[in-house]
Protein backbone atom coordinates (compact mmCIF):
# COMPACT_ATOMS: atom_id res chain seq x y z
CA UNK A 1 0.00 0.00 0.00
CA UNK A 2 2.81 2.42 0.85
CA UNK A 3 4.46 2.07 -2.58
CA UNK A 4 1.23 1.94 -4.59
CA UNK A 5 0.53 4.79 -6.98
CA UNK A 6 -2.13 7.22 -5.76
CA UNK A 7 -4.54 6.28 -8.56
CA UNK A 8 -4.26 2.60 -7.64
CA UNK A 9 -5.11 3.46 -4.03
CA UNK A 10 -8.19 5.35 -5.18
CA UNK A 11 -9.28 2.47 -7.40
CA UNK A 12 -8.71 -0.03 -4.57
CA UNK A 13 -10.95 2.04 -2.29
CA UNK A 14 -13.74 1.83 -4.87
CA UNK A 15 -13.17 -1.89 -5.38
CA UNK A 16 -13.30 -2.41 -1.61
CA UNK A 17 -16.56 -0.45 -1.36
CA UNK A 18 -18.07 -2.62 -4.06
CA UNK A 19 -16.81 -5.81 -2.44
CA UNK A 20 -18.67 -4.73 0.70
CA UNK A 21 -21.83 -4.59 -1.42
CA UNK A 22 -21.33 -7.93 -3.17
CA UNK A 23 -22.28 -10.79 -0.95
CA UNK A 24 -22.74 -14.39 -2.00
CA UNK A 25 -24.87 -15.12 -5.06
CA UNK A 26 -26.61 -17.63 -2.80
CA UNK A 27 -28.74 -14.78 -1.44
CA UNK A 28 -30.13 -14.15 -4.93
CA UNK A 29 -30.85 -17.85 -5.35
CA UNK A 30 -32.53 -18.06 -1.95
CA UNK A 31 -34.69 -15.09 -2.86
CA UNK A 32 -35.61 -16.73 -6.17
CA UNK A 33 -36.75 -19.76 -4.19
CA UNK A 34 -38.78 -17.56 -1.85
CA UNK A 35 -40.54 -16.03 -4.87
CA UNK A 36 -41.74 -19.45 -5.99
CA UNK A 37 -39.01 -21.08 -8.05
CA UNK A 38 -38.57 -24.75 -7.17
CA UNK A 39 -35.10 -26.32 -6.90
CA UNK A 40 -34.96 -27.14 -10.63
CA UNK A 41 -36.02 -23.61 -11.50
CA UNK A 42 -33.36 -22.08 -9.26
CA UNK A 43 -30.73 -24.28 -10.88
CA UNK A 44 -32.07 -23.22 -14.27
CA UNK A 45 -31.71 -19.55 -13.33
CA UNK A 46 -28.13 -20.18 -12.25
CA UNK A 47 -27.39 -21.96 -15.54
CA UNK A 48 -28.96 -19.05 -17.46
CA UNK A 49 -26.72 -16.62 -15.54
CA UNK A 50 -23.64 -18.66 -16.40
CA UNK A 51 -24.61 -18.90 -20.08
CA UNK A 52 -25.06 -15.12 -20.25
CA UNK A 53 -21.75 -14.59 -18.45
CA UNK A 54 -19.92 -16.95 -20.82
CA UNK A 55 -21.54 -15.52 -23.95
CA UNK A 56 -20.87 -11.90 -23.00
CA UNK A 57 -17.33 -12.15 -21.60
CA UNK A 58 -15.47 -11.95 -24.91
CA UNK A 59 -17.52 -9.07 -26.38
CA UNK A 60 -17.26 -7.19 -23.08
CA UNK A 61 -13.48 -7.67 -23.12
CA UNK A 62 -13.31 -6.23 -26.63
CA UNK A 63 -15.48 -3.32 -25.49
CA UNK A 64 -13.06 -2.67 -22.60
CA UNK A 65 -10.17 -2.55 -25.05
CA UNK A 66 -12.02 0.09 -27.07
CA UNK A 67 -13.78 2.13 -24.39
CA UNK A 68 -11.63 1.56 -21.33
CA UNK A 69 -11.71 -0.66 -18.30
CA UNK A 70 -13.19 1.99 -16.05
CA UNK A 71 -16.16 2.40 -18.39
CA UNK A 72 -16.82 -1.34 -18.50
CA UNK A 73 -16.34 -1.77 -14.76
CA UNK A 74 -18.80 1.05 -14.04
CA UNK A 75 -21.25 -0.48 -16.54
CA UNK A 76 -20.95 -3.69 -14.53
CA UNK A 77 -21.70 -1.81 -11.32
CA UNK A 78 -24.81 -0.30 -12.94
CA UNK A 79 -25.92 -3.82 -13.92
CA UNK A 80 -25.31 -5.06 -10.37
CA UNK A 81 -27.36 -2.20 -8.92
CA UNK A 82 -30.21 -2.87 -11.35
CA UNK A 83 -30.20 -6.59 -10.53
CA UNK A 84 -30.12 -6.21 -6.76
CA UNK A 85 -32.74 -3.45 -6.81
CA UNK A 86 -34.83 -5.58 -9.16
CA UNK A 87 -34.55 -8.66 -6.96
CA UNK A 88 -35.39 -6.53 -3.91
CA UNK A 89 -38.58 -5.23 -5.52
CA UNK A 90 -39.63 -8.33 -7.48
CA UNK A 91 -42.98 -9.84 -6.60
CA UNK A 92 -43.26 -12.15 -9.60
CA UNK A 93 -40.82 -15.02 -10.03
CA UNK A 94 -40.70 -14.52 -13.80
CA UNK A 95 -39.38 -10.98 -13.33
CA UNK A 96 -36.12 -12.62 -12.26
CA UNK A 97 -35.37 -14.06 -15.71
CA UNK A 98 -34.25 -10.79 -17.34
CA UNK A 99 -32.49 -9.83 -14.11
CA UNK A 100 -30.47 -13.04 -14.24
CA UNK A 101 -29.41 -12.20 -17.82
CA UNK A 102 -28.33 -8.72 -16.72
CA UNK A 103 -26.44 -10.35 -13.84
CA UNK A 104 -24.52 -12.34 -16.45
CA UNK A 105 -23.57 -9.03 -18.09
CA UNK A 106 -22.48 -7.72 -14.68
CA UNK A 107 -20.20 -10.74 -14.21
CA UNK A 108 -18.71 -10.30 -17.69
CA UNK A 109 -18.00 -6.63 -16.91
CA UNK A 110 -16.68 -7.23 -13.41
CA UNK A 111 -14.96 -10.57 -12.86
CA UNK A 112 -11.68 -10.03 -14.69
CA UNK A 113 -11.88 -6.29 -15.22
CA UNK A 114 -10.66 -5.21 -11.79
CA UNK A 115 -7.60 -7.44 -12.06
CA UNK A 116 -6.83 -6.26 -15.59
CA UNK A 117 -7.25 -2.66 -14.47
CA UNK A 118 -4.90 -3.12 -11.52
CA UNK A 119 -2.37 -4.95 -13.69
CA UNK A 120 -2.18 -1.96 -16.03
CA UNK A 121 -1.65 0.51 -13.20
CA UNK A 122 1.51 -0.91 -11.65
CA UNK A 123 5.01 -1.75 -12.87
CA UNK A 124 5.31 -5.29 -14.22
CA UNK A 125 7.50 -6.33 -11.28
CA UNK A 126 4.67 -5.47 -8.84
CA UNK A 127 1.65 -6.95 -10.64
CA UNK A 128 1.48 -10.14 -8.57
CA UNK A 129 1.93 -8.26 -5.30
CA UNK A 130 -0.77 -5.77 -6.25
CA UNK A 131 -3.18 -8.52 -7.29
CA UNK A 132 -2.46 -10.40 -4.08
CA UNK A 133 -3.18 -7.29 -2.05
CA UNK A 134 -6.42 -6.74 -3.98
CA UNK A 135 -7.45 -10.37 -3.46
CA UNK A 136 -6.79 -10.04 0.26
CA UNK A 137 -8.85 -6.90 0.79
CA UNK A 138 -11.55 -8.23 -1.54
CA UNK A 139 -11.79 -11.46 0.48
CA UNK A 140 -12.09 -9.56 3.75
CA UNK A 141 -14.76 -7.26 2.30
CA UNK A 142 -16.79 -10.14 0.83
CA UNK A 143 -16.67 -11.93 4.19
CA UNK A 144 -17.96 -8.80 5.92
CA UNK A 145 -20.57 -8.34 3.21
CA UNK A 146 -21.87 -11.88 3.60
CA UNK A 147 -22.22 -11.44 7.33
CA UNK A 148 -23.92 -8.05 7.01
CA UNK A 149 -26.26 -9.27 4.28
CA UNK A 150 -27.16 -12.31 6.37
CA UNK A 151 -27.86 -10.14 9.38
CA UNK A 152 -30.04 -7.73 7.37
CA UNK A 153 -31.81 -10.70 5.74
CA UNK A 154 -32.60 -12.33 9.08
CA UNK A 155 -33.28 -9.26 11.18
CA UNK A 156 -35.25 -7.28 8.60
CA UNK A 157 -36.01 -9.01 5.28
CA UNK A 158 -34.51 -10.19 2.00
CA UNK A 159 -35.76 -6.95 0.42
CA UNK A 160 -33.80 -4.82 2.89
CA UNK A 161 -30.66 -6.94 2.49
CA UNK A 162 -30.72 -6.79 -1.31
CA UNK A 163 -31.60 -3.09 -1.37
CA UNK A 164 -28.71 -2.35 1.00
CA UNK A 165 -26.33 -4.13 -1.38
CA UNK A 166 -27.67 -2.06 -4.27
CA UNK A 167 -27.27 1.17 -2.27
CA UNK A 168 -23.69 0.40 -1.27
CA UNK A 169 -22.88 -0.51 -4.88
CA UNK A 170 -24.25 2.91 -5.84
CA UNK A 171 -21.69 4.52 -3.56
CA UNK A 172 -18.92 2.47 -5.15
CA UNK A 173 -20.12 3.43 -8.63
CA UNK A 174 -20.22 7.13 -7.73
CA UNK A 175 -16.69 6.83 -6.30
CA UNK A 176 -15.45 5.21 -9.51
CA UNK A 177 -17.19 7.80 -11.69
CA UNK A 178 -15.51 10.60 -9.72
CA UNK A 179 -12.03 9.23 -10.40
CA UNK A 180 -10.08 11.22 -12.93
CA UNK A 181 -7.08 9.55 -14.58
CA UNK A 182 -3.63 10.85 -13.83
CA UNK A 183 -0.85 10.83 -16.43
CA UNK A 184 0.33 7.34 -15.46
CA UNK A 185 -3.08 5.63 -15.20
CA UNK A 186 -4.71 3.24 -17.58
CA UNK A 187 -8.44 3.83 -17.63
Amino acid sequence: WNRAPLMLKKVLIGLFLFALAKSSDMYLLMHAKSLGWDDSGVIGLYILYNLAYAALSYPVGKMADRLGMKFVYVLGLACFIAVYAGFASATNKFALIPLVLVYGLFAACNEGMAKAWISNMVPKAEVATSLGFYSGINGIAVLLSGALTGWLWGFFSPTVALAASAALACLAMLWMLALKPDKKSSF
Side-chain angles (χ1 to χ4, degrees):
W1 181 261
N2 292 338
R3 293 189 328 254
L6 179 59
M7 184 53 59
L8 176 60
K9 290 176 182 178
K10 291 177 181 178
V11 167
L12 286 171
I13 290 168
L15 294 174
F16 182 78
L17 278 174
F18 176 63
L20 286 172
K22 187 179 181 331
S23 60
S24 171
D25 293 342
M26 187 58 61
Y27 289 110
L28 294 177
L29 298 174
M30 289 182 343
H31 194 51
K33 187 142 174 95
S34 75
L35 288 175
W37 288 96
D38 62 13
D39 291 343
S40 296
V42 170
I43 292 168
L45 289 174
Y46 194 66
I47 290 170
L48 185 61
Y49 152 75
N50 278 291
L51 288 172
Y53 174 23
L56 295 170
S57 290
Y58 180 74
V60 165
K62 287 187 68 85
M63 182 173 50
D65 288 338
R66 281 193 325 274
L67 301 176
M69 288 176 261
K70 176 184 174 183
F71 174 84
V72 170
Y73 190 82
V74 169
L75 173 63
L77 293 179
C79 290
F80 179 91
I81 294 162
V83 168
Y84 270 68
F87 263 75
S89 62
T91 57
N92 178 326
K93 73 179 189 177
F94 296 107
L96 301 185
I97 294 171
L99 293 172
V100 166
L101 293 170
V102 174
Y103 201 56
L105 176 58
F106 150 73
C109 291
N110 182 270
E111 294 298 329
M113 205 57 56
K115 292 176 184 170
W117 197 6
I118 291 167
S119 295
N120 286 341
M121 295 178 74
V122 297
K124 188 176 181 178
E126 295 180 13
V127 169
T129 302
S130 298
L131 291 176
F133 182 79
Y134 164 67
S135 294
I137 64 168
N138 188 63
I140 291 167
V142 169
L143 178 67
L144 294 172
S145 174
L148 177 61
T149 303
W151 180 78
L152 290 171
W153 186 288
F155 195 76
F156 294 103
S157 71
T159 299
V160 170
L162 297 171
S165 289
L168 192 51
C170 265
L171 288 176
M173 185 174 76
L174 291 172
W175 176 269
M176 292 300 201
L177 285 170
L179 294 179
K180 303 293 182 222
D182 60 22
K183 293 177 182 165
K184 299 176 185 176
S185 295
S186 173
F187 267 37

